[in-house]
Amino acid sequence: TVVREPISRTVSAWADKVAADGAKKGKLLQVLGLKPDTNLSLSEFLDAIAQEPDALNVDRHWRPQSKEISWGLIDYDMIGTVETIDAVLKKTVLTCFKSKTVKIQDTRKSLGHKTSSRDLIKSLSKADHKNIEKVFGEDLEMYEAVKKQQK
């Protein structure tokens, strides 16, 4: 499996699924008891998922990765990161199919890159970071452990 850096993953999920009126936005607003036409800023989203546990299960794009991949419960042969995905895919294809040929499609190019997580991350407040740590603390630890294993 492959994991993504938790802060950029969460910010990207908000941008693509909530700010851009994604399909799960209505369900999220319903869970939060808000009107269907409510716009949630990134800070409001982070606060909402930190305060309302049911909001985390509305969409797997912002549900903690550690839960999504059953971190600590499954003995994976290999866990990579998005940053090392080319090497991870090559190793996976070689292991599974005995082939050194890997055809990788970068969907950011083929489907279009929608958001700039980097700019949004720079705008996060101390309160936003505290909310991220509260909700995604295990993800942050998992990500660091995976990076350490790759060295």
Side-chain angles (χ1 to χ4, degrees):
T1 191
V2 176
V3 295
R4 184 172 178 189
E5 191 281 318
I7 297 172
S8 66
R9 178 179 179 265
T10 305
V11 167
S12 179
W14 167 81
D16 292 343
K17 308 295 180 190
V18 179
D21 292 325
K24 298 289 178 141
K25 180 182 177 184
K27 176 70 175 164
L28 174 64
L29 294 174
Q30 182 181 19
V31 166
L32 297 174
L34 299 172
K35 294 179 183 177
D37 61 346
T38 302
N39 289 318
L40 286 178
S41 70
L42 177 56
S43 291
E44 291 168 330
F45 170 74
L46 294 171
D47 190 57
I49 62 174
Q51 304 308 319
E52 177 52 62
D54 289 341
L56 284 175
N57 293 318
V58 169
D59 192 287
R60 65 186 303 248
H61 290 90
W62 62 75
R63 186 172 186 260
Q65 289 178 100
S66 53
K67 293 191 182 341
E68 283 293 308
I69 69 164
S70 299
W71 173 253
L73 300 174
I74 296 175
D75 185 18
Y76 286 98
D77 294 327
M78 181 176 49
I79 300 179
T81 63
V82 170
E83 296 81 14
T84 62
I85 198 163
D86 288 347
V88 170
L89 288 174
K90 285 177 184 175
K91 184 175 179 181
T92 302
V93 169
L94 181 61
T95 301
C96 294
F97 304 107
K98 307 295 184 237
S99 174
K100 292 183 180 181
T101 305
V102 179
K103 194 172 189 180
I104 299 171
Q105 178 184 12
D106 186 344
T107 57
R108 293 170 297 180
K109 292 177 183 168
S110 62
L111 299 176
H113 191 74
K114 295 180 182 179
T115 60
S116 176
S117 297
R118 203 172 309 140
D119 294 338
L120 292 168
I121 291 168
K122 287 179 186 175
S123 74
L124 294 174
S125 69
K126 286 182 182 180
D128 294 334
H129 281 282
K130 283 185 179 181
N131 281 329
I132 288 170
E133 288 172 20
K134 177 181 177 182
V135 176
F136 300 106
E138 190 172 350
D139 282 8
L140 293 162
E141 290 174 18
M142 174 191 68
Y143 182 75
E144 290 303 318
V146 168
K147 281 184 14 183
K148 194 174 185 180
Q149 286 176 350
Q150 290 182 323
K151 290 183 179 180

